[in-house]
Amino acid sequence: QVQLEESGGGLAQAGGSLRLSCGVSGSVFRVEDMGWYREAPGKQRELVATITLSSHTTYADAVKGRFTISRDNAKNTVYLQMNKLKAEDTALYYCRAEVATGWGLGMPEYWGQGTQVTVSS
């Protein structure tokens, strides 16, 4: 069993900051790509940022220059530092990770339950 648990969401004012965390626990052999996605009311889930095991990062155009994704491989944890928040950043933010539970067992993806971020304008 693998669990992803997000934390750090909440209410922020426009222009403010929040930091999300997501820890992977359970039967973890190795964690590869990790990422953050978000889903706003009435919209499809969209990619926010991803980070590989070697810390190569990608960002959605809407968050470039404002959000920073990072990871701590020793803790199997990924972070999302969100600065200069805008009202349009309001969404449920999900953590995703590709996790191997043993040698040669593949790398299925796992998702967290989501953490709400609300930005007031």
Side-chain angles (χ1 to χ4, degrees):
Q1 292 283 354
V2 173
Q3 298 85 37
L4 273 63
E5 184 172 358
E6 301 110 333
S7 62
L11 178 65
Q13 290 188 334
S17 299
L18 285 173
R19 188 188 193 216
L20 306 183
S21 300
C22 173
V24 182
S25 62
S27 302
V28 179
F29 176 67
R30 188 173 74 250
V31 181
E32 288 285 343
D33 291 0
M34 306 181 81
W36 290 95
Y37 293 72
R38 66 186 181 187
E39 189 171 319
K43 295 186 177 181
Q44 290 188 332
R45 190 173 299 187
E46 63 178 6
L47 179 147
V48 176
T50 64
I51 185 168
T52 67
L53 183 59
S54 58
S55 294
H56 175 74
T57 59
T58 60
Y59 295 92
D61 287 343
V63 306
K64 281 181 181 177
R66 300 188 298 120
F67 291 10
T68 302
I69 189 171
S70 61
R71 65 189 288 171
D72 184 332
N73 293 330
K75 296 181 179 179
N76 290 329
T77 299
V78 63
Y79 306 95
L80 185 69
Q81 178 66 44
M82 304 185 293
N83 299 329
K84 301 179 181 178
L85 284 163
K86 303 176 181 180
E88 50 264 44
D89 294 320
T90 295
L92 190 59
Y93 282 70
Y94 294 92
C95 173
R96 173 189 176 276
E98 297 175 352
V99 183
T101 56
W103 184 261
L105 296 182
M107 199 76 64
E109 65 177 16
Y110 294 86
W111 291 84
Q113 293 297 308
T115 184
Q116 179 67 39
V117 171
T118 302
V119 183
S120 62
S121 56

